[in-house]
């Protein structure tokens, strides 16, 4: 029996290995519905408007006799829309089934009369107190078994049937009442959907159901989760426990079980949003759009799964207590945040906006310093340059009480005086008016820029899988993402984040760092892409697992060895105090996090070799020609990203493409006929702006925290 059990497992393993190699993904497909979202959300926004500006206002937090003054002032400053209601459920449904929309009607009316449009939200992060007290099972349960209680937000169980029934009612009421209001331009569902892990009984049940739908039989699940390892196999789906990382550290649990829980959690969060979108869609005018505002750096959620929404926006707080580039950069924030958010969220549906942009000091970071003078304006221009259709800020008034008392607004504690961030918003609003006058609807991307267009292949599942078993505590997937963004953007290339399903052909270049989970279809697609002329750049930790998160029963990273023209012999990582060395050309680079040691095949060129450790002289970076294109494998993560920067620049140059030489922290983007440069560094930087160009705003050399715009 034992023997045959093992045999079954083995058979299932082989079966799933093959299936994992040939199908696109084993994650369940989103549920089918008759509803279809708008195909091209660009039609919601006039291109000639470039970027619109808006600001959050909370009527329920201020006395009614101030609403008119505040909303009129918002309009006077040049904002065109406001944002209401994401936390107002207690006011909208003060008793079970009894709705009160009078106050919201009034606020919407005042805003409309002031000439403002409105983004209306569903209030689902904040259940009212009556619901919390009567039905405590609507809350999520954390990994220690503690159920959340009333008093905070964003802590409900998205899988709770009861909660979803209440959500359906309030969203229906809102849709019916405001879905035809001409002044409501769009809807934000919930707020910053984070996909918190939930261990409540409802999540437990939903997880079992999700697994059953995915695997069909318990044997298939055992095969993927490796139930033979430490006898962790199940006999029935109802025995399955959510893998609990507070009881067992993540690397002690089945990594495949943990990966599935992450997939489930992201999916459950996305379906919670999708369901709300489907309800709204029944009642709203097709001119109103539906979105949500994901955090710009989102680890647990997968924004692409909320695919019933028209487009996805992001929230952005660049300054949060860190000092990314040293010096004064703690007042400017991470240079990669806005850049990556623009490129990531815009790529999902072709449209994005920044829903919350930090207006000044915040209250929630461990340390909340003053911002560098002018940086809010620079962030706005950075958001503009990356294609945002609007920039909205949290919040208009500085709170006088409540949890976020130390949070800046557009106006200060007196409710009328512009803050420094407020003044910078006004400056950007005025400048946008000028840019609109200069807008040329026939402008197309200059050939020189289009020639370096780069696809960044990204799958949130790789992030999860890499973080589950890091293998070295130095590993940080997001840092690696920033390194590749920095290297690509140093060339002045436009960048889109794409998925395996997308067409690779519009991109002369593609980077896919640490693309750990692969299948045969992807390797074939990469090969076709390169043969037709694409330049593919892969990094360490690519191609070592199938989509189930299993290694291949073959040599290390076997499915990609013929593509990259090299064998990954083994990998290494270093302990504190030891520095790895790599030599490329005349330059020496250091590394300590990860190194794949490579043996090139015939015809493959070595671009860098290890310069110390027992494998000194072995290849660290290889490149080869394949058909009309090239494949490059960068086997190490260098300490400051310098190696990646040098190699990537070389590949672009070899492909005959003209590139810029922008230092880390400086970006130049082209949008609608305008060039926009921004500088997150501590030094002024001279950009190569052609003599015949006209600078519209700003100066060259470009000072820290400044933006320059030219045509
Ligand atoms: C965001 C959140 C807002 C507000 C803000 C404060 O993450 O969505 O509601 O709390 O932080 O900075």
């Amino acid at each position: 029996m034992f023997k045959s059990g093992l045999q079954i497992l083995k058979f299932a393993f082989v079966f799933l290995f093959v299936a994992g190699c040939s199908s696109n993904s084993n994650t369940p497909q989103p549920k089918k519905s008759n509803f279809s979202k708008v195909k091209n959300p660009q039609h919601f926004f006039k291109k000639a408007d470039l970027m619109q500006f808006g600001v959050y206002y909370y009527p329920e937090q201020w006395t009614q006799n101030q609403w008119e003054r505040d909303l009129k002032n918002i309009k006077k400053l040049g904002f065109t829309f406001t944002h209401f209601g994401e936390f107002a459920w207690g006011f909208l449904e003060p008793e079970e089934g009894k709705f009160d929309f009078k106050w919201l009607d009034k606020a919407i009316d005042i805003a409309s009369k002031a000439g403002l449009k409105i983004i209306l939200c569903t209030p689902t992060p904040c259940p009212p107190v009556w619901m919390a007290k009567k039905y405590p099972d609507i809350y999520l349960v954390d990994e220690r078994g503690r159920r959340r209680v009333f008093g905070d937000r964003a802590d409900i169980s998205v899988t709770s049937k009861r909660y979803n029934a209440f959500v359906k009612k309030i969203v229906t009421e809102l849709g019916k009442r405001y879905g035809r209001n001409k002044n409501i331009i769009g809807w934000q569902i919930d707020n910053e959907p984070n996909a918190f892990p939930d261990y409540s009984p409802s999540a437990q049940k939903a997880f079992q159901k999700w697994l059953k739908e995915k695997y069909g039989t318990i044997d298939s699940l055992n095969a993927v989760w490796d139930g033979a390892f430490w006898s962790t196999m199940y006999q029935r789906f109802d025995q399955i426990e959510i893998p609990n990382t507070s009881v067992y550290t993540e690397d002690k649990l089945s990594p495949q079980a943990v990966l599935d829980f992450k997939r489930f959690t992201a999916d459950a969060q996305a379906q919670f949003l999708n369901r709300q979108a489907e309800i709204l869609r029944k009642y709203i005018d097709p001119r109103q759009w539906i979105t949500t505002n994901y955090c710009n750096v989102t680890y647990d959620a997968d924004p692409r799964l909320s695919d019933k929404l028209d487009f996805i926006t992001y929230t952005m707080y660049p300054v949060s207590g860190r000092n990314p580039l040293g010096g004064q950069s703690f007042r400017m924030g991470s240079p990669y945040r806005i850049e990556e958010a623009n490129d990531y969220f815009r790529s999902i549906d072709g449209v994005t906006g920044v829903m919350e942009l930090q207006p000044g000091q915040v209250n929630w970071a461990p340390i909340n310093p003053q911002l560098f003078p002018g940086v809010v304006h620079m962030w706005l221009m950075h958001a503009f340059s990356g294609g945002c259709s609007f920039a909205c800020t949290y919040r208009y008034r500085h709170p006088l009480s409540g949890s976020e008392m130390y949070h800046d607004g557009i106006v200060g504690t007196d409710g009328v005086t512009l803050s420094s961030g407020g003044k910078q918003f006004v400056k950007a609003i005025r400048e946008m008016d000028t840019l609109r006058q200069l807008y040329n609807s026939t402008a197309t991307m200059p050939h020189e820029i289009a020639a370096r267009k780069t696809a960044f292949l990204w799958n949130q599942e790789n992030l999860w899988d890499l973080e589950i078993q890091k293998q070295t505590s130095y590993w940080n997937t997001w840092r690696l993402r920033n390194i590749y963004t920095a290297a690509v953007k140093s060339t002045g290339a436009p960048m889109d984040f794409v998925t395996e399903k997308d067409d690779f052909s519009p991109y002369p270049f593609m980077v896919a760092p640490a693309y750990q989970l692969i299948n045969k279809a992807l390797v074939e697609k990469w090969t076709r892409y390169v043969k037709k002329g694409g330049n593919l750049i892969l990094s360490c930790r690519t191609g070592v697992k199938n989509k189930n998160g299993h290694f291949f029963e073959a040599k290390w990273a076997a499915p990609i060895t013929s593509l990259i023209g090299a064998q990954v012999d083994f990998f290494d990582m270093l302990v504190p105090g030891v520095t790895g060395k790599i030599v490329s050309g005349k330059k020496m680079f250091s590394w300590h996090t990860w190194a794949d040691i490579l043996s090139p095949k015939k015809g493959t060129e070595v671009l860098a070799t290890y310069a110390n450790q027992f494998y000194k002289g072995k290849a660290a970076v290889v490149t080869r020609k394949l058909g009309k294109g090239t494949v490059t494998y960068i086997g190490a993560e260098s300490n400051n990203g310098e190696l990646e920067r040098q190699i990537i620049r070389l590949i672009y140059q070899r492909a005959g493409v003209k590139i810029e030489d922008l230092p880390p922290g400086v970006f130049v983007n082209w949008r609608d006929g305008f060039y926009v440069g921004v500088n997150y560094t501590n030094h002024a930087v001279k950009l190569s702006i052609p003599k015949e160009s006209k600078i519209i705003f700003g100066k060259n050399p470009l000072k820290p925290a400044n933006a320059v715009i030219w045509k």
Side-chain angles (χ1 to χ4, degrees):
M1 150 75 199
F2 183 55
K3 201 173 162 205
S4 70
L6 263 187
Q7 270 165 349
I8 291 172
L9 275 180
K10 196 156 180 213
F11 169 76
F13 172 84
V14 170
F15 171 76
L16 280 153
F17 163 70
V18 172
C21 275
S22 57
S23 80
N24 245 346
S25 163
N26 288 311
T27 34
Q29 296 304 305
K31 314 246 159 18
K32 288 226 165 68
S33 80
N34 340 332
F35 156 90
S36 73
K37 70 176 184 179
V38 164
K39 289 267 157 43
N40 176 15
Q42 181 59 56
H43 85 271
F44 290 120
F45 303 94
K46 277 200 214 111
K47 284 213 102 189
D49 282 345
L50 299 177
M51 187 171 84
Q52 301 269 7
F53 295 82
V55 60
Y56 282 43
Y57 189 69
Y58 294 92
E60 72 277 20
Q61 293 178 16
W62 303 101
T63 54
Q64 289 209 10
N65 60 17
Q66 292 183 330
W67 294 359
E68 194 173 344
R69 178 199 70 184
D70 290 346
L71 291 161
K72 277 185 170 166
N73 281 345
I74 289 174
K75 174 68 186 174
K76 238 190 261 164
L77 294 172
F79 292 98
T80 56
F81 67 89
T82 184
H83 177 284
F84 286 168
E86 78 276 33
F87 304 129
W89 200 341
F91 292 83
L92 295 167
E93 193 179 354
E95 286 175 54
E96 185 168 348
K98 293 216 170 110
F99 298 95
D100 177 8
F101 295 111
K102 273 193 249 95
W103 67 274
L104 186 56
D105 289 349
K106 187 170 173 192
I108 289 173
D109 189 48
I110 293 174
S112 308
K113 284 193 177 127
L116 292 167
K117 300 289 180 195
I118 299 125
I119 297 177
L120 198 58
C121 304
T122 67
T124 50
C126 292
V129 66
W130 56 259
M131 197 191 301
K133 292 291 159 191
K134 197 164 167 196
Y135 311 106
D137 60 359
I138 60 166
Y139 283 103
L140 66 77
V141 172
D142 72 14
E143 65 280 13
R144 290 172 199 281
R146 294 172 302 198
R147 190 182 277 290
R148 298 285 174 87
V149 290
F150 186 75
D152 195 351
R153 63 170 175 180
D155 47 11
I156 49 85
S157 173
V158 295
T159 55
S160 153
K161 286 216 169 85
R162 197 191 308 277
Y163 195 63
N164 278 287
F166 281 120
V167 166
K168 189 172 175 191
K169 278 191 204 141
I170 184 73
V171 175
T172 304
E173 293 297 322
L174 283 166
K176 278 186 182 162
R177 194 164 188 101
Y178 301 110
R180 301 277 149 186
N181 186 316
K182 288 203 175 61
N183 293 308
I184 291 169
I185 45 174
W187 295 80
Q188 175 189 302
I189 294 177
D190 207 84
N191 181 67
E192 282 191 336
N194 278 318
F196 291 124
D198 178 10
Y199 297 80
S200 65
S202 58
Q204 178 70 61
K205 264 202 163 153
F207 184 46
Q208 290 168 351
K209 185 164 172 258
W210 187 92
L211 291 168
K212 188 145 200 259
E213 275 172 22
K214 173 170 177 172
Y215 291 106
T217 68
I218 201 70
D219 286 345
S220 316
L221 176 134
N222 284 327
V224 171
W225 287 16
D226 200 349
F229 202 84
W230 296 346
S231 258
T232 50
M233 65 257 199
Y234 292 95
Q235 295 154 319
R236 294 187 316 272
F237 283 93
D238 63 11
Q239 295 168 326
I240 296 171
E241 302 256 353
I242 290 178
N244 193 322
T245 51
S246 84
V247 183
Y248 306 102
T249 57
E250 267 188 6
D251 60 346
K252 291 282 179 287
L253 293 160
S254 156
Q256 289 77 28
V258 179
L259 180 61
D260 266 341
F261 181 54
K262 288 190 188 284
R263 285 168 166 153
F264 159 78
T265 301
D267 194 34
Q269 174 70 81
Q271 299 316 329
F272 180 69
L273 306 175
N274 280 344
R275 283 194 294 273
Q276 293 196 41
E278 288 184 299
I279 299 165
L280 279 179
R281 201 73 72 174
K282 284 190 208 149
Y283 305 103
I284 68 172
D285 189 292
R287 278 171 300 191
Q288 294 180 346
W289 40 258
I290 302 178
T291 190
T292 191
N293 59 342
Y294 278 99
C295 288
N296 65 90
V297 174
T298 171
Y299 288 97
D300 291 323
D302 183 350
R304 284 187 183 267
L305 298 176
S306 44
D307 55 357
K308 307 287 185 210
L309 284 53
D310 292 310
F311 57 90
I312 311 293
T313 68
Y314 66 85
T315 66
M316 179 58 63
Y317 295 85
V319 168
S320 48
R322 300 216 182 105
N323 204 359
L325 300 180
Q328 288 289 303
S329 112
F330 70 97
R331 303 190 192 279
M332 299 180 234
S334 162
Y336 307 112
R337 289 238 172 156
I338 294 181
E339 185 55 47
E340 287 190 353
N342 286 339
D343 296 342
Y344 177 80
F345 289 96
R346 185 197 61 238
S347 300
I348 299 176
D349 294 295
V351 164
T352 193
V354 45
M355 193 60 98
E356 297 178 28
L357 179 70
Q358 181 169 5
Q361 280 165 294
V362 296
N363 63 290
W364 42 260
I367 303 167
N368 300 287
Q370 274 290 330
L371 306 186
F372 200 96
V375 77
V376 173
H377 171 265
M378 181 187 80
W379 292 336
L380 282 166
M381 290 307 161
H382 197 178
F384 165 68
S385 74
C388 284
S389 297
F390 59 80
C392 185
T393 181
Y394 176 92
R395 54 187 274 153
Y396 180 62
R397 289 188 65 172
H398 188 130
L400 305 180
S401 49
S403 142
E404 294 180 344
M405 288 176 68
Y406 283 92
H407 203 290
D408 265 345
I410 290 298
V411 294
T413 43
D414 66 0
V416 287
T417 307
L418 276 182
S419 63
S420 164
K423 287 180 190 150
Q424 294 174 58
F425 259 86
V426 171
K427 182 177 172 211
I429 290 171
R430 302 281 172 264
E431 289 179 356
M432 203 55 61
D433 285 339
T434 305
L435 296 183
R436 282 182 200 122
Q437 284 160 21
L438 297 172
Y439 169 70
N440 168 8
S441 62
T442 60
T444 50
M445 185 179 275
H447 174 73
E448 177 180 306
I449 300 180
R452 46 190 192 236
K453 226 174 162 190
T454 303
F456 195 126
L457 188 67
W458 180 261
N459 182 345
Q460 200 76 348
E461 297 196 350
N462 286 312
L463 167 74
W464 298 329
D465 196 57
L466 287 156
E467 297 288 319
I468 290 168
Q469 283 186 337
K470 288 167 183 275
Q471 188 64 6
T472 161
S473 54
Y474 283 128
W475 182 264
N476 179 335
T477 313
W478 216 272
R479 183 187 57 220
L480 190 76
R481 167 162 146 159
N482 289 164
I483 284 176
Y484 278 79
T485 297
V488 168
K489 294 305 294 186
S490 80
T491 69
M495 191 168 86
D496 288 337
F497 281 83
V498 305
T499 71
E500 290 163 44
K501 286 189 201 131
D502 290 316
D503 179 8
F504 298 171
S505 67
Y507 302 95
F509 301 92
M510 169 177 279
V511 294
Y515 212 91
Q516 184 154 264
L517 305 173
I518 59 151
N519 57 20
K520 206 168 148 219
L522 176 60
V523 179
E524 285 171 0
K525 192 165 175 175
W526 273 338
T527 308
R528 281 197 304 274
Y529 165 72
V530 174
K531 283 187 173 162
K532 285 190 182 153
N535 296 284
L536 176 66
I537 298 158
L538 305 173
S539 90
C540 58
R541 302 195 86 164
T542 293
V544 300
K545 294 183 179 178
N546 69 14
K547 293 281 182 183
N548 289 326
H550 291 194
F551 292 140
F552 297 101
E553 193 172 356
K555 282 197 179 156
W556 197 254
I560 61 162
T561 52
S562 60
L563 175 66
I564 66 171
Q567 172 65 49
V568 180
D569 290 338
F570 57 93
F571 50 86
D572 197 19
M573 56 215 70
L574 301 175
V575 296
V578 179
T579 304
K581 294 282 175 204
I582 293 172
V583 66
S584 176
K586 288 189 186 125
K587 271 196 167 170
M588 190 69 94
F589 302 89
S590 56
W591 73 273
H592 70 265
T593 300
W594 197 279
D596 281 349
I597 289 80
L598 310 169
S599 280
K601 303 229 160 88
K602 216 172 141 216
T604 299
E605 182 188 354
V606 176
L607 292 180
T609 48
Y610 292 102
N612 69 353
Q613 305 306 318
F614 67 88
Y615 38 82
K616 186 175 168 183
K618 293 278 281 180
V621 180
V622 294
T623 190
R624 69 182 289 236
K625 291 204 174 98
L626 178 63
K628 293 185 184 149
T630 63
V631 190
T632 305
Y633 191 88
I634 305 178
E637 180 192 331
S638 70
N639 279 353
N640 47 16
E642 275 301 310
L643 172 70
E644 291 84 342
R645 184 184 165 91
Q646 169 161 315
I647 300 291
I648 287 178
R649 298 177 62 73
L650 178 74
I651 300 303
Y652 284 53
Q653 278 162 335
R654 282 185 170 188
V657 165
K658 185 171 174 281
I659 57 172
E660 300 292 335
D661 190 9
L662 303 170
V666 175
F667 301 97
V668 173
N669 286 302
W670 181 93
R671 170 186 178 171
D672 291 323
F674 301 102
Y675 291 82
V676 183
V678 293
N679 181 3
Y680 288 79
T681 75
N682 290 290
H683 313 283
V685 173
K686 181 126 170 79
L687 300 176
S688 57
I689 303 180
K691 280 209 188 75
E692 59 278 15
S693 302
K694 186 178 171 303
I695 293 187
I696 306 164
F697 294 112
K699 287 197 178 104
N700 192 25
L702 180 61
K703 288 198 184 134
N706 272 247
V708 59
I709 303 179
W710 72 95
K711 237 176 131 59

